[in-house]
Amino acid sequence: MNANEVTQRFVQSYYNLYASRIVQTKKQFCDACGTYSNNFNLMQKGLRPCTLEMVCKLITAYNINPRWLFSGVGGFFVEYT
């Protein structure tokens, strides 16, 4: 697990959720993940990593697959069978 890759997938999560119309604004996403838009902008530029707390909040708030988030394997959302 590479912290930069996790941060890239964290940022990609915003774009996926926005494209799916699950979130309407960056602020809404940031509020749910416990960060500020300024910090998120730095993550987008690769200048700041996401924290474990942000990742946990993202997984919980939007049902994101932790396996995808940490390794890039599997689907974006947790699939229940």
Side-chain angles (χ1 to χ4, degrees):
M1 171 180 69
N2 180 318
N4 291 331
E5 291 174 1
V6 174
T7 299
Q8 289 172 355
R9 282 189 287 275
F10 181 88
V11 170
Q12 185 60 46
S13 296
Y14 164 71
Y15 293 112
N16 292 354
L17 293 166
Y18 184 81
S20 300
R21 298 183 181 197
I22 295 170
V23 296
Q24 283 72 45
T25 65
K26 189 185 295 184
K27 183 181 182 332
Q28 179 187 7
F29 176 82
C30 290
D31 287 347
C33 295
T35 191
Y36 297 103
S37 293
N38 292 343
N39 289 338
F40 186 77
N41 291 340
L42 292 172
M43 287 180 240
Q44 287 177 300
K45 295 175 184 177
L47 300 175
R48 182 180 192 119
C50 61
T51 66
L52 183 57
E53 182 179 347
M54 287 181 227
V55 168
C56 290
K57 288 182 178 185
L58 172 66
I59 290 167
T60 302
Y62 298 109
N63 202 32
I64 305 302
N65 183 350
R67 188 169 183 213
W68 174 83
L69 197 55
F70 286 110
S71 68
V73 175
F76 178 65
F77 290 109
V78 172
E79 294 181 22
Y80 298 100
T81 55

